[in-house]
Amino acid sequence: MMCLKPIYLTNICREIDIQYYTIKMLYFSDKKSERSKDRLAKIRGLFDKLREIFKKSFSPFRNLCIDESLLLFKGRLFFKHYIPSKRNRFGIKSFVLCDCSTGYVLDVIVYTGSTSEMQAFSAKLGKAGNIVATLMQPYLGKGHQLFVTGIYNWYSSRIISTISCTRKTLKWYKKFFFHLLDISIWNAYCLYKFNTKKNISMSDYYLALITELLKQYSESRKYNSDTPSAYLMRFKERHFPALYSSDKTKRQNPMRRCIVCSMDNKRRSTRYYCKQCNVGLCVVPCFEMYHTEQ
């Protein structure tokens, strides 16, 4: 995201404001599933669906690798793990199976202690060994070679950290959802490079993906109209500041992003807006600037 130009960031801020609503409205399970003993019950349905899609979307080459990944999380969590060798020592530990040729993530198992999703192949293997055997189960007897760490460590949270969409939250399952979203984008990036044979960076692919999503799902607003009359409307007519209200939030005093501050690459919210133009504006001095300066 650091490669985006300020004007592009401004347009994104105008169209979508997910800093608050996305985190608050995310939910993945019902009350019945939460009563189960499954420690991943809050995100089980989505997690299993993505694992199934990962396996079906790509047939791996000969060399496979398994490595452990740690998602930073310092909140309260029963299966939070500690790995001294990692930079982020506390978090949610996962075992990741990848294809060495492309870096594609084939499967993920979250380590939850004795309740980890694994088959008991042998007591001699231990928990970690049985998890490895579970990940490799669909690929046994097919001529694959397995590597653990070393030079075939193609996937790591070093890879997606620069474009991570993870948001700060006290709910572990919400943070893990954004981590799964990052892995999904990473897999799409690997498949794109494999199918097109194009040498494109992850940041460029991420930017192109955001652009296409905004083109397809962005909402049309009055101030985004290309007609000269709509553009010049803010210099004519009668404009007065009004208190912003919305039925989409339970907040007593809802706020909007100031469009003038956004143009100056400043993140500032205000309780006031121009009802005629349908844009958020600080009363002083942004309201006057927006309706007088071109």
Side-chain angles (χ1 to χ4, degrees):
M1 295 294 291
M2 298 301 294
C3 64
L4 297 178
K5 297 181 179 179
I7 187 63
Y8 192 84
L9 285 173
T10 301
N11 292 335
I12 294 178
C13 292
R14 292 178 187 175
E15 292 296 331
I16 53 177
D17 186 5
I18 64 173
Q19 298 298 321
Y20 173 77
Y21 294 105
T22 300
I23 299 294
K24 186 175 179 63
M25 304 304 294
L26 276 179
Y27 210 68
F28 310 100
S29 62
D30 53 22
K31 293 183 179 180
K32 293 182 180 179
S33 62
E34 292 180 5
R35 298 192 189 103
S36 66
K37 296 182 180 180
D38 183 11
R39 293 176 179 172
L40 300 179
K42 289 183 177 293
I43 203 170
R44 172 59 67 186
L46 176 65
F47 184 48
D48 289 346
K49 185 64 177 179
L50 285 177
R51 290 181 62 193
E52 180 183 354
I53 293 175
F54 291 165
K55 295 176 184 177
K56 291 182 178 180
S57 300
F58 182 72
S59 297
F61 291 92
R62 183 181 184 184
N63 296 333
L64 304 177
C65 66
I66 293 180
D67 194 15
E68 56 185 22
S69 175
L70 193 69
L71 174 63
L72 176 64
F73 185 76
K74 296 182 179 180
R76 293 184 178 182
L77 183 61
F78 184 80
F79 55 88
K80 182 173 65 176
H81 208 73
Y82 172 73
I83 302 180
S85 60
K86 297 290 185 180
R87 182 178 181 182
N88 300 323
R89 300 182 179 182
F90 293 94
I92 303 174
K93 180 180 177 180
S94 303
F95 289 89
V96 183
L97 175 66
C98 300
D99 173 66
C100 293
S101 299
T102 60
Y104 183 89
V105 175
L106 296 164
D107 201 0
V108 180
I109 290 182
V110 179
Y111 184 75
T112 58
S114 59
T115 60
S116 299
E117 188 175 357
M118 59 182 176
Q119 301 179 25
F121 290 93
S122 174
K124 297 181 181 179
L125 293 176
K127 295 178 183 178
N130 283 316
I131 289 178
V132 171
T134 302
L135 288 171
M136 288 296 299
Q137 182 64 25
Y139 309 103
L140 295 177
K142 297 182 179 180
H144 293 287
Q145 294 186 16
L146 176 64
F147 297 86
V148 288
T149 66
I151 88 177
Y152 285 105
N153 186 12
W154 286 100
Y155 172 81
S156 173
S157 56
R158 295 188 305 268
I159 297 178
I160 60 176
S161 61
T162 56
I163 48 86
S164 175
C165 62
T166 305
R167 299 290 188 268
K168 291 183 179 180
T169 174
L170 296 177
K171 305 296 184 181
W172 71 267
Y173 57 91
K174 293 184 179 181
K175 187 165 187 177
F176 191 70
F177 160 74
F178 285 108
H179 182 63
L180 291 175
L181 183 60
D182 287 333
I183 296 178
S184 301
I185 296 175
W186 166 257
N187 277 350
Y189 167 69
C190 294
L191 292 179
Y192 177 81
K193 287 181 61 180
F194 175 74
N195 291 326
T196 62
K197 309 301 180 183
K198 294 182 179 180
N199 188 16
I200 181 175
S201 65
M202 183 63 179
S203 59
D204 290 339
Y205 177 82
Y206 204 89
L207 177 59
L209 179 61
I210 293 175
T211 304
E212 293 300 322
L213 289 175
L214 288 178
K215 287 180 179 179
Q216 185 172 357
Y217 298 105
S218 61
E219 298 178 0
S220 59
R221 301 270 180 98
K222 290 182 179 180
Y223 55 82
N224 285 333
S225 176
D226 295 330
T227 58
S229 58
Y231 175 76
L232 295 175
M233 184 183 67
R234 62 189 178 102
F235 301 117
K236 301 179 180 179
E237 305 295 336
R238 296 169 61 88
H239 303 272
F240 301 96
L243 280 174
Y244 176 66
S245 61
S246 175
D247 298 332
K248 298 181 180 180
T249 178
K250 296 181 180 179
R251 297 181 62 180
Q252 186 176 1
N253 299 317
M255 306 180 76
R256 289 191 64 173
R257 193 70 54 79
C258 176
I259 187 174
V260 176
C261 295
S262 297
M263 290 178 180
D264 294 333
N265 201 23
K266 299 178 182 178
R267 298 177 59 86
R268 189 172 297 167
S269 299
T270 175
R271 291 182 57 193
Y272 296 91
Y273 82 119
C274 178
K275 191 173 183 179
Q276 186 75 6
C277 302
N278 191 25
V279 293
L281 290 165
C282 300
V283 177
V284 179
C286 299
F287 193 92
E288 180 180 355
M289 293 173 58
Y290 184 77
H291 294 102
T292 58
E293 299 180 9
Q294 186 171 352

